[in-house]
Structure formats: C-alpha cells, structure tokens
Amino acid sequence: MKIQYFPETDTLAIELTTKPITNTDAITDDLILDYDSDGKVVAITLDNYSKNVETVNLQALGVPLLAA
C-alpha cells in the first residue's frame, strides 16, 4: 500500500495494490476509484484534499506497516 500527497494539485492518492487498473469510476467530482479485472478497488484518488479532509485529527490506528 502506498499513500502519496501531491501539493501542486492538492490530491491524495492511495494505492492499495499493484494490480493493473482495468476500470475507473468517478464517484463524485473529487473521488475516483480504480478497479482491477476482478472488480476490486485497487486505488483511491481524492482531489481537493484540503477541502475534504479534516487533517487536524488525522490518525492512523492499527495499520500494519510491514507484511507479516
């Protein structure tokens, strides 16, 4: 999993897996989901990050950082 922030576009990109993207769906003007060939979400893109996320209370709880 990879989380990247692009300040020049105020975009947060979350890559859940390295599987190839076969379909993309714009859920809203700011939220895009990418799917693999099995229909599973492989990436999430959030535009206008600073307008959509309350970063003051940003927390990562119980997220494993290393594969078991």
Side-chain angles (χ1 to χ4, degrees):
M1 185 169 127
K2 181 169 49 175
I3 301 172
Q4 290 181 283
Y5 175 69
F6 300 94
E8 63 278 356
T9 58
D10 193 27
T11 299
L12 181 73
I14 303 171
E15 183 180 295
L16 303 172
T17 177
T18 58
K19 291 183 177 180
I21 296 168
T22 59
N23 191 24
T24 298
D25 193 12
I27 304 302
T28 68
D29 288 343
D30 293 338
L31 179 62
I32 298 168
L33 300 180
D34 295 319
Y35 302 90
D36 67 10
S37 60
D38 295 325
K40 293 183 179 180
V41 175
V42 296
I44 302 166
T45 302
L46 180 63
D47 291 324
N48 295 308
Y49 172 78
S50 61
K51 294 178 182 173
N52 288 299
V53 177
E54 294 180 9
T55 58
V56 172
N57 295 318
L58 183 63
Q59 298 178 25
L61 303 174
V63 178
L65 299 177
L66 299 173

